[in-house]
Amino acid sequence: VFIQHMLEYAGANYENAEYDEVADLKSCAIPDQPVPCMAPPILHDVPNDCTLSQMPAIVVYLAGELGLAAGDAYLNYQALKVILDCNDVLSDITNANGSRMWTHDHWQVFRSNRLPRWLEIFEETGRRHGLSASSGFLLGTESASHADIAVAALFGTMARCLPALEKDIQSNAPALYGLCHRIEQCEGIRAAIKRQEAETGSTYCGGQIEQSIRKMLALDEAPGQV
Amino acid sequence: VFIQHMLEYAGANYENAEYDEVADLKSCAIPDQPVPCMAPPILHDVPNDCTLSQMPAIVVYLAGELGLAAGDAYLNYQALKVILDCNDVLSDITNANGSRMWTHDHWQVFRSNRLPRWLEIFEETGRRHGLSASSGFLLGTESASHADIAVAALFGTMARCLPALEKDIQSNAPALYGLCHRIEQCEGIRAAIKRQEAETGSTYCGGQIEQSIRKMLALDEAPGQV
């Protein structure tokens, strides 16, 4: 979703690989891979004939190619830091990419402690660069950078697909919440969200770990009822 | 260790913060942090008066500052990918930074499957750029880049502190193994390793998760004896 949001925001021409093709790339012998890697995402830049794996590396690469970089070198290091933070939040909420299911005790620590602290980290980053609920960008750039698109991909998707968490985001990070909404107004992203909703409904990350997250959210609402 | 190896390799002047200072930075209110972040590492570049968190972002920043970048833009994206791979391996071997202890079943999957696959990923990356056991660098650069120093920090430290794994590295990735040795010959890194060994012996990552890794390695040697 990080990569797709960037491509959509920039109006780039792209195609998602078929599920089977991705599964084959992941499991085939390393020397047969276009880029030696453990897992997707993999980007194949067809015009430049190059491939790259690792989400944050792809995002930084595309920022350069699509004119979404922050401009100033130091801001680009900060943008990379923001993207790595986004990746960590995703890993947190999916319990290390679904490697184990949530228990309610652990989930409560995440929702009442780690998630608000993460939100405050992004909010404070924006605050230091003049971000408000109605205007500005995360790193104070004049137009959206890859850092803005990454946070919108993370928290915008979270708020839409797991609406119980929308109020957590809005109350802990109002400026961030406003930014996510503004980024999602971009035509390409709006169209992509509609397409995804038509195809998969409000699926978040899919699989057993999504079921586990939804079970925890239901427990938060009505303890003892699930 | 990734960051320290880079600083030592470049002969930079640096100081590690005291344990208490780092603990305070981690737990203090987000607005009071020099850079809003969840956890160390944090770099404070004193001459440039800037701070940055997230290991891969710090490594990329220092590569620029210390003249260790790969030179070519595309190689630098690949270097970032390599550093993110290194970070994933570290997260793998420490079971998501020690968030749970190893069971022998899970460890065996890691050692017999994921670790060799990771090693092959790095070995194949080097192979495509002309790396051999006795010469060359991971991305085919003329001198060491931050990617070389990161793999040496990861696998050199692993081989030294967990010697049972040295043969896994050497047999699955002979060119990578040679590269790690050559990087560790650098005077600054040799001195830092000696200092660390004097201070902490052959401690790997420390804490309960290190005990768990050592228990698994002992079980591998003598099943049923531990």
Side-chain angles (χ1 to χ4, degrees):
Chain A
V1 66
F2 294 100
I3 296 162
Q4 191 165 21
H5 263 55
M6 283 186 81
L7 291 162
E8 291 290 353
Y9 193 87
N13 191 7
Y14 73 95
E15 223 173 79
N16 288 319
E18 296 292 331
Y19 180 85
D20 287 350
E21 194 186 343
V22 177
D24 285 349
L25 273 180
K26 184 173 188 280
S27 60
C28 74
I30 302 290
D32 296 335
Q33 292 179 329
V35 55
C37 65
M38 186 59 91
I42 300 170
L43 175 81
H44 180 197
D45 179 339
V46 179
N48 292 320
D49 192 25
C50 64
T51 50
L52 194 62
S53 74
Q54 286 281 10
M55 182 284 278
I58 294 172
V59 165
V60 170
Y61 171 77
L62 285 177
E65 293 293 310
L66 301 173
L68 293 167
D72 167 272
Y74 180 63
L75 284 182
N76 277 320
Y77 297 121
Q78 291 210 316
L80 175 55
K81 180 262 185 204
V82 168
I83 291 152
L84 295 162
D85 282 348
C86 288
N87 213 19
D88 284 353
V89 176
L90 197 60
S91 172
D92 263 16
I93 194 173
T94 59
N95 240 336
N97 306 311
S99 65
R100 62 202 147 148
M101 298 303 110
W102 282 107
T103 63
H104 199 223
D105 282 354
H106 281 118
W107 170 263
Q108 284 178 314
V109 172
F110 169 72
R111 189 170 181 185
S112 67
N113 187 325
R114 259 180 103 81
L115 180 60
R117 198 159 167 94
W118 273 125
L119 286 163
E120 213 186 332
I121 286 169
F122 291 97
E123 188 77 357
E124 175 66 17
T125 301
R127 195 179 293 134
R128 293 187 190 184
H129 292 101
L131 178 71
S132 77
S134 59
S135 71
F137 295 103
L138 193 72
L139 300 176
T141 49
E142 286 188 19
S143 57
S145 76
H146 49 321
D148 298 288
I149 298 171
V151 297
L154 175 66
F155 291 109
T157 306
M158 197 184 287
R160 272 183 295 101
C161 299
L162 305 170
L165 293 181
E166 187 171 12
K167 63 175 182 301
D168 301 52
I169 301 169
Q170 193 168 13
S171 60
N172 286 290
L176 177 75
Y177 180 80
L179 174 66
C180 294
H181 266 275
R182 294 199 302 283
I183 297 285
E184 289 195 335
Q185 290 312 305
C186 145
E187 204 182 316
I189 293 181
R190 268 197 300 164
I193 290 170
K194 268 199 181 158
R195 272 201 321 275
Q196 279 157 19
E197 284 177 347
E199 283 167 23
T200 57
S202 62
T203 300
Y204 180 59
C205 51
Q208 289 185 306
I209 190 63
E210 170 155 352
Q211 287 175 36
S212 176
I213 295 170
R214 292 192 186 282
K215 189 172 160 192
M216 295 304 120
L217 290 169
L219 274 172
D220 287 345
E221 293 301 312
Q225 302 285 306
V226 179
Chain B
V1 64
F2 294 99
I3 296 161
Q4 192 165 21
H5 264 54
M6 283 186 79
L7 291 162
E8 290 290 352
Y9 193 87
N13 191 6
Y14 73 96
E15 223 173 80
N16 288 319
E18 296 293 329
Y19 181 85
D20 287 352
E21 194 186 343
V22 176
D24 285 350
L25 273 179
K26 184 173 188 277
S27 60
C28 74
I30 302 290
D32 296 335
Q33 292 180 329
V35 54
C37 65
M38 186 59 91
I42 301 169
L43 176 80
H44 180 197
D45 179 338
V46 179
N48 292 320
D49 192 26
C50 64
T51 51
L52 195 62
S53 74
Q54 286 281 10
M55 183 282 281
I58 294 171
V59 165
V60 170
Y61 171 76
L62 285 177
E65 292 294 310
L66 302 172
L68 292 167
D72 167 273
Y74 180 61
L75 284 182
N76 277 320
Y77 298 122
Q78 291 210 317
L80 175 55
K81 180 260 185 207
V82 167
I83 290 151
L84 294 162
D85 282 348
C86 288
N87 213 19
D88 284 354
V89 175
L90 197 61
S91 171
D92 264 16
I93 195 173
T94 59
N95 241 337
N97 305 314
S99 65
R100 60 199 150 148
M101 297 302 111
W102 283 106
T103 64
H104 200 223
D105 283 353
H106 281 118
W107 170 263
Q108 284 178 313
V109 172
F110 170 72
R111 189 170 181 184
S112 67
N113 187 326
R114 259 180 102 82
L115 180 60
R117 199 161 166 92
W118 273 125
L119 287 163
E120 213 187 331
I121 287 168
F122 291 97
E123 187 76 359
E124 175 67 16
T125 302
R127 195 179 292 135
R128 293 186 190 183
H129 292 102
L131 178 70
S132 77
S134 60
S135 71
F137 294 103
L138 193 72
L139 300 176
T141 48
E142 286 187 19
S143 56
S145 77
H146 48 321
D148 299 287
I149 298 170
V151 297
L154 176 65
F155 291 109
T157 307
M158 197 184 286
R160 271 183 295 101
C161 299
L162 305 170
L165 293 181
E166 186 171 11
K167 63 175 183 298
D168 302 52
I169 301 169
Q170 192 169 14
S171 60
N172 286 290
L176 177 75
Y177 180 79
L179 174 66
C180 294
H181 267 274
R182 293 199 301 284
I183 298 286
E184 289 195 336
Q185 290 311 306
C186 146
E187 203 182 317
I189 293 182
R190 268 197 299 165
I193 291 171
K194 268 200 182 158
R195 270 201 322 275
Q196 279 159 20
E197 285 178 346
E199 282 167 24
T200 58
S202 61
T203 299
Y204 180 59
C205 50
Q208 289 185 306
I209 190 63
E210 169 155 354
Q211 288 176 33
S212 177
I213 295 171
R214 293 192 186 280
K215 190 173 159 190
M216 294 304 120
L217 290 169
L219 274 172
D220 288 345
E221 293 301 313
Q225 301 285 308
V226 180

